[in-house]
Amino acid sequence: MSFDLKHAKQFLQRALFAGALMFQPTVSQAQNYNLPSLGDSTSATISPQKEYELGQAWLRSFRSKVPANSDALTYVYLEQLLNRLARHSQLSENKLELVVVNNPSMNAFAVPGGVVGVHTGLFLHAESEGQLASVLSHELAHLSQRHFARSVAKQQQNTIPMMAAMLASLVIAATTGGDAGLAAITATQAAALDSQLRFSRQNEQEADRIGMQTMVAAEMDPHSVAEMFERMLRTTRYSRRPPEFLLTHPVTESRIADALNRAQKYPKRSTPSSLDFHLMRARATLLHTETPEQAVKRFRSELEGDTLSEEASRYGLVIALNKSHQYQQATEAIIPLLQQSPDKVAYVMARADTLAGQEDFTGALQLVEQHLQQQPGNHPLTVRYAELLMRNGNYPLCEEVLTAHIKRRPKDDYVWYLLAEAHGLAGNIYGVHTARAEYFILNGVLDKARQQLENALALVKDNYMKRTLLEERIRQLNALMEDTKL
């Protein structure tokens, strides 16, 4: 039977119907997972290009249902760590897409086509950068060994249902807490046994082995793998709800023993975690603490007692004080950090936030401008600079800054969002429509993207250059919609 568009539609419809039966409370989340057909089922494997196209379609669908983390500092840290590991992995090409999800659970995932997802809760469970890297290395190993394509080669006709079920379970993991989320994912995993949604035990062992090789090549401590496994096991002992990560990557005593034995083959590395890891961990702690005031108490307690990093705990205190509008105390707390590391981007941004909170936008902008001159194009600094310009009412300069920055990061949906806002505040209606269109495309809302482009086209009928560019972009969007239409 040929695996054409007609059959792809039928398979996905069946998968989504089955998914709706399994988790009725979130049935609306299991609709319109627009994933493209992968071609003829007689193909031995999925080509890397087809895998990439499927991954991009999957990512758009995921983003349309799960709000991504827009914190530039966290994103850049993870991006740099992921790229560092990827350079030492067995990936044939470093063509990765990172998506960061605001969720306190211990979860990470890899999707065919180079998509890697990280829940911010992973920072809360990892006590070292090596432990965090061990999870990312494992996911990169699944990608480099093309475990998904290899499993599909045995059962190609199930490709679309597999991807739909994978999307459904990860959407629920990212948006639902408590027993409802656990029940939904457990049901999805149970139904997916025959369709091989979960990686096989052999693939898991292979990912463990190759992931550790990546860690060693990247000069990180391979013993961190077993340490992270042990932390995962401890999490299950003190909670009746296991982390979502463990539902697809079950950890057993024998698996920990295997990791320890494998690590013994390599010399023990005394590799301290980077300061940036601890700073991002502090940001995740603030994000997932119920109130800023509670976070203030937590970081003060860390400074008075035990802490993995005193400097990071002080930084956490600063950003928590900023969040709770205690700007004078935040100023007092940030000064020692800036004296020690005056060029640290996280500290510069925290100080700028303190100044802006006190309505000193001139001081905040001057501070960020000074450091942008030293680090032109720095993503977190540029985003904060644009946000400050917008808050201060300097919309034309904000437009200029973001227009230049989007050329550096054309797939960053938050920068497109900011640019649309800046265009609107500056009265640039044409710019609003075009920026919103790109934002909607990245987030999988293709019908709204086309409407925005058509609105922009109506404004420039007499401008040949702009009209031609818009018509071409609409043609590309229509082709994309056709490719992903089921």
Side-chain angles (χ1 to χ4, degrees), residues 184-303:
I185 296 176
T186 302
T188 301
Q189 295 300 329
L193 284 174
D194 290 336
S195 63
Q196 300 178 344
L197 171 60
R198 294 190 300 178
F199 293 122
S200 70
R201 185 174 300 176
Q202 181 179 355
N203 286 347
E204 282 299 302
Q205 292 173 344
E206 185 175 44
D208 286 347
R209 175 176 58 81
I210 293 175
M212 186 174 289
Q213 291 174 358
T214 298
M215 293 274 291
V216 172
E219 298 185 347
M220 305 192 83
D221 185 6
H223 290 78
S224 298
V225 177
E227 291 172 3
M228 192 61 183
F229 282 162
E230 288 174 342
R231 289 194 59 76
M232 291 175 181
L233 264 189
R234 285 201 295 273
T235 299
T236 63
R237 290 182 185 134
Y238 297 109
S239 172
R240 66 188 184 90
R241 179 179 187 267
E244 285 83 355
F245 185 80
L246 298 189
L247 295 173
T248 50
H249 301 71
V251 175
T252 62
E253 297 288 354
S254 62
R255 192 174 181 189
I256 293 175
D258 286 344
L260 284 170
N261 290 335
R262 197 174 291 116
Q264 295 298 331
K265 300 176 182 178
Y266 304 102
K268 176 76 174 177
R269 291 183 183 274
S270 179
T271 309
S273 300
S274 71
L275 174 60
D276 283 337
F277 165 77
H278 291 294
L279 298 182
M280 297 312 109
R281 196 169 189 268
R283 295 183 72 81
T285 298
L286 173 59
L287 177 66
H288 296 301
T289 301
E290 190 170 338
T291 67
E293 291 74 19
Q294 289 178 352
V296 168
K297 292 180 181 178
R298 172 168 178 160
F299 289 120
R300 286 195 191 281
S301 176
E302 287 183 5
L303 287 169

Side-chain angles (χ1 to χ4, degrees), residues 26 29 103 105 171-182 184-185 241 244:
T26 53
Q29 295 179 7
N103 190 294
S105 64
V171 165
I172 294 169
T175 58
T176 307
D179 294 336
L182 173 60
I185 296 176
R241 179 179 187 267
E244 285 83 355

Side-chain angles (χ1 to χ4, degrees), residues 371-417:
H371 287 274
L372 272 175
Q373 290 175 359
Q374 300 170 11
Q375 304 179 59
N378 179 278
H379 179 49
L381 283 175
T382 302
V383 168
R384 182 64 87 249
Y385 187 51
E387 291 170 338
L388 290 170
L389 287 169
M390 195 179 298
R391 288 176 61 186
N392 197 40
N394 193 341
Y395 308 130
L397 182 55
C398 184
E399 280 186 293
E400 182 181 329
V401 169
L402 290 171
T403 298
H405 193 53
I406 201 63
K407 295 176 182 177
R408 292 187 285 266
R409 300 186 73 90
K411 300 187 79 172
D412 191 310
D413 63 332
Y414 183 60
V415 178
W416 280 114
Y417 173 83

Side-chain angles (χ1 to χ4, degrees), residues 61-263:
S61 291
F62 184 80
R63 281 176 169 166
S64 71
K65 295 162 181 64
V66 179
N69 179 288
S70 60
D71 179 41
L73 280 168
T74 301
Y75 190 94
V76 166
Y77 168 77
L78 285 171
E79 186 178 56
Q80 291 175 345
L81 178 58
L82 193 63
N83 286 334
R84 173 187 172 186
L85 294 168
R87 286 195 299 271
H88 297 283
S89 73
Q90 295 186 17
L91 283 169
S92 58
E93 54 180 317
N94 188 359
K95 200 174 185 180
L96 299 172
E97 293 274 355
L98 172 67
V99 58
V100 184
V101 180
N102 285 340
N103 190 294
S105 64
M106 182 194 303
N107 202 15
F109 53 86
V111 176
V115 178
V116 178
V118 178
H119 284 203
T120 48
L122 198 57
F123 282 104
L124 307 180
H125 293 276
E127 289 190 330
S128 71
E129 189 169 47
Q131 292 175 14
L132 174 64
S134 73
V135 176
L136 298 182
S137 296
H138 180 95
E139 298 305 320
L140 288 174
H142 279 310
L143 293 177
S144 68
Q145 303 310 300
R146 302 191 66 212
H147 285 155
F148 178 81
R150 284 158 58 183
S151 65
V152 170
K154 299 178 182 178
Q155 208 169 2
Q156 176 120 14
Q157 68 271 21
N158 282 338
T159 302
I160 296 298
M162 287 167 66
M163 290 298 289
M166 182 185 294
L167 175 58
S169 65
L170 290 173
V171 165
I172 294 169
T175 58
T176 307
D179 294 336
L182 173 60
I185 296 176
T186 302
T188 301
Q189 295 300 329
L193 284 174
D194 290 336
S195 63
Q196 300 178 344
L197 171 60
R198 294 190 300 178
F199 293 122
S200 70
R201 185 174 300 176
Q202 181 179 355
N203 286 347
E204 282 299 302
Q205 292 173 344
E206 185 175 44
D208 286 347
R209 175 176 58 81
I210 293 175
M212 186 174 289
Q213 291 174 358
T214 298
M215 293 274 291
V216 172
E219 298 185 347
M220 305 192 83
D221 185 6
H223 290 78
S224 298
V225 177
E227 291 172 3
M228 192 61 183
F229 282 162
E230 288 174 342
R231 289 194 59 76
M232 291 175 181
L233 264 189
R234 285 201 295 273
T235 299
T236 63
R237 290 182 185 134
Y238 297 109
S239 172
R240 66 188 184 90
R241 179 179 187 267
E244 285 83 355
F245 185 80
L246 298 189
L247 295 173
T248 50
H249 301 71
V251 175
T252 62
E253 297 288 354
S254 62
R255 192 174 181 189
I256 293 175
D258 286 344
L260 284 170
N261 290 335
R262 197 174 291 116

Side-chain angles (χ1 to χ4, degrees), residues 3 9 44 130 223 228 264 305 307 314 327 331 378 388 408 426 448 456:
F3 193 67
K9 292 180 182 179
H223 290 78
M228 192 61 183
Q264 295 298 331
T307 175
R314 181 171 295 278
Y327 300 116
T331 299
N378 179 278
L388 290 170
R408 292 187 285 266
K448 288 188 177 181

